[in-house]
Amino acid sequence: MTTITQHLRITGRVQGVGYRWHMAQQARALGLTGWVRNRHDGSVEAQASGPVHAVQALVRWAHHGPEQARVDAVVVSTPDAPDPGQGFEQRETA
């Protein structure tokens, strides 16, 4: 099974609407490792590692997020130095 790591930067109305919590729940349900955090600029940043199909499913979810969110853009890239961590965690704002 091929695994990948993707970095996501999500912009729009994505803070104060439970985006991080919902993303962590979705990632855990998909069996992914990684993290999600708010950014001081109002965006949300995440990194997810796992099977290709599961990471792609999280990226698709990120384009709409939870019901209260309004996602304007999701920029996906491959990180130079993956930091998957243990499980999938919500991190402090950066």
Side-chain angles (χ1 to χ4, degrees), residues 10 12-28 36-38 42-46 58 61-62 64-71 88-91:
I10 304 102
R13 189 175 58 134
V14 293
Q15 290 190 17
V17 295
Y19 196 100
R20 285 184 308 154
W21 186 85
H22 285 282
M23 176 176 266
Q25 294 301 312
Q26 185 71 20
R28 290 175 189 136
V36 59
R37 66 183 173 195
N38 287 339
S43 67
V44 168
E45 177 181 32
L58 185 66
W61 178 90
H64 59 80
E67 185 177 325
Q68 299 83 4
R70 185 198 75 245
V71 176
F88 199 94
E89 59 189 26
Q90 291 184 60
R91 292 190 174 173

Side-chain angles (χ1 to χ4, degrees), residues 49-72:
S49 297
V52 173
H53 71 279
V55 173
Q56 289 173 342
L58 185 66
V59 170
R60 284 191 301 273
W61 178 90
H63 281 85
H64 59 80
E67 185 177 325
Q68 299 83 4
R70 185 198 75 245
V71 176
D72 293 337

